[in-house]
Amino acid sequence: MPEGKIIKALSGFYYVLDGERVVQCRGRGIFRKRKVSPLVGDYVEYQADNDKEGTIVAIEDRKNEMIRPPIANVDQAILVFSAVQPDFSTALLDRFLVLIESKQIEPLICITKIDLLSEAETKQIQQYADEYRSIGYSVLLTSSMEEDGLEELLSYLHKRISVFAGQSGVGKSSLLNALRPELELKTNEISDSLGRGKHTTRHVELIKVNDGLVADTPGFSSLEFTEIEADELPFCFPEMVKLSQDCKFRGCLHLNEPKCAVKAAVEADELLPYRYKHYLQFMEEIKERKPRY
């Protein structure tokens, strides 16, 4: 039975890359009965009808999967955030980071549009970049217009499956166009009235870049913690994971527990205050979430 990887899903068809050829496939009805949908990034077996068409008959086990964007078997997530237009937001970045950490996907923070910054704004963005690096995250500062940071970004994409994720209007498509100009992906100006970009990417597709595969995904502006439980959230903050070894209680949520090493670090200014603030906000959000039945 031939095998391949789904590189695009569109209008009920799945495009399977098998060697150098792409086969347009339908999914078998059995997947719908099992409530399993093939995802871009899936390794599949398919039954060939001819050289160009076939039917997916089996999906291999996934090492991870994301719901928004719908993609599986991701090696890393490039979290694209603009320095300005829209303004850089640590709250939104931390929200993305928690969701990526919960899937055990390696994040790379990519801050775009640095060519638009004043001297004072550049210092502020550099400070944020250094703070996230101190946690252990990789951070790139880039400009599609000036081509700053693009060579370094290319090196991260080599032989890996990467997903580009972030708000609409932050420059994901512009970055991919700068990396591979022949793609000519659609981009939109930011709407002044809304302060955010229009959705220009309509489907998930894996694109070859530097011997790797990159997903350009639909932009979105809000993310909910529908799959993360309160006792899982502390594991989505790497700096808290290290500190928690010194907490008095195993399973400490770093809220009101006595002899909590995380709270002690906050009081001693050894933990970024906005990170702990966001942690408390996310914890409250998870606890107030309506139960699922």
Side-chain angles (χ1 to χ4, degrees), residues 106-154:
E106 186 180 331
L108 168 65
I109 300 167
C110 181
I111 303 175
T112 62
K113 305 184 186 180
I114 59 168
D115 56 298
L116 302 179
L117 298 179
S118 66
E119 192 174 331
E121 288 170 333
T122 299
K123 280 186 180 176
Q124 178 63 73
I125 290 295
Q126 285 280 11
Q127 182 178 330
Y128 281 134
D130 289 341
E131 287 171 349
Y132 279 95
R133 287 179 185 127
S134 74
I135 297 168
Y137 290 117
S138 297
V139 184
L140 294 182
L141 303 181
T142 66
S143 164
S144 300
M145 294 293 290
E146 304 289 335
E147 298 191 352
D148 289 335
L150 297 189
E151 281 298 319
E152 195 174 353
L153 178 55
L154 269 176

Side-chain angles (χ1 to χ4, degrees), residues 265-278:
V266 173
E267 289 163 10
D269 285 332
E270 293 168 359
L271 193 77
L272 293 168
Y274 59 83
R275 287 276 289 174
Y276 186 64
K277 176 187 171 187
H278 298 154

Side-chain angles (χ1 to χ4, degrees), residues 77-285:
I78 317 292
L79 301 181
V80 184
F81 277 73
S82 56
V84 288
Q85 300 177 17
D87 290 340
F88 182 75
S89 164
T90 57
L92 193 58
L93 174 55
D94 286 344
R95 187 171 284 269
F96 271 83
L97 284 169
V98 164
L99 288 162
I100 295 303
E101 291 279 1
S102 73
K103 299 291 185 184
Q104 286 82 50
I105 296 171
E106 186 180 331
L108 168 65
I109 300 167
C110 181
I111 303 175
T112 62
K113 305 184 186 180
I114 59 168
D115 56 298
L116 302 179
L117 298 179
S118 66
E119 192 174 331
E121 288 170 333
T122 299
K123 280 186 180 176
Q124 178 63 73
I125 290 295
Q126 285 280 11
Q127 182 178 330
Y128 281 134
D130 289 341
E131 287 171 349
Y132 279 95
R133 287 179 185 127
S134 74
I135 297 168
Y137 290 117
S138 297
V139 184
L140 294 182
L141 303 181
T142 66
S143 164
S144 300
M145 294 293 290
E146 304 289 335
E147 298 191 352
D148 289 335
L150 297 189
E151 281 298 319
E152 195 174 353
L153 178 55
L154 269 176
S155 69
Y156 276 94
L157 304 180
H158 187 65
K159 293 191 180 298
R160 308 188 82 187
I161 295 180
S162 308
V163 56
F164 273 51
Q167 269 180 302
S168 295
V170 295
K172 297 190 300 295
S173 294
S174 295
L175 260 185
L176 281 169
N177 282 337
L179 295 171
R180 269 195 60 186
E182 70 274 19
L183 292 174
E184 296 180 353
L185 297 170
K186 290 181 181 177
T187 59
N188 264 339
E189 294 298 316
I190 298 295
S191 161
D192 288 334
S193 59
L194 292 174
R196 56 195 175 94
K198 297 175 184 175
H199 294 268
T200 52
T201 313
R202 298 295 175 191
H203 63 277
V204 180
E205 180 173 358
L206 289 171
I207 301 161
K208 283 188 178 180
V209 181
N210 196 25
D211 282 339
L213 291 168
V214 172
D216 183 29
T217 65
F220 38 85
S221 54
S222 68
L223 303 111
E224 296 178 0
F225 301 124
T226 55
E227 296 184 311
I228 302 172
E229 302 302 328
D231 60 351
E232 295 170 335
L233 184 64
F235 296 98
C236 299
F237 285 75
E239 68 272 49
M240 293 188 190
V241 173
K242 291 177 186 174
L243 288 165
S244 65
Q245 296 169 15
D246 296 323
C247 289
K248 181 178 181 181
F249 296 105
R250 195 179 260 182
C252 182
L253 295 182
H254 320 311
L255 300 174
N256 304 309
E257 300 90 339
K259 296 188 179 177
C260 168
V262 169
K263 287 187 67 182
V266 173
E267 289 163 10
D269 285 332
E270 293 168 359
L271 193 77
L272 293 168
Y274 59 83
R275 287 276 289 174
Y276 186 64
K277 176 187 171 187
H278 298 154
Y279 172 78
L280 295 178
Q281 289 172 350
F282 300 162
M283 182 64 78
E284 190 70 19
E285 190 177 319

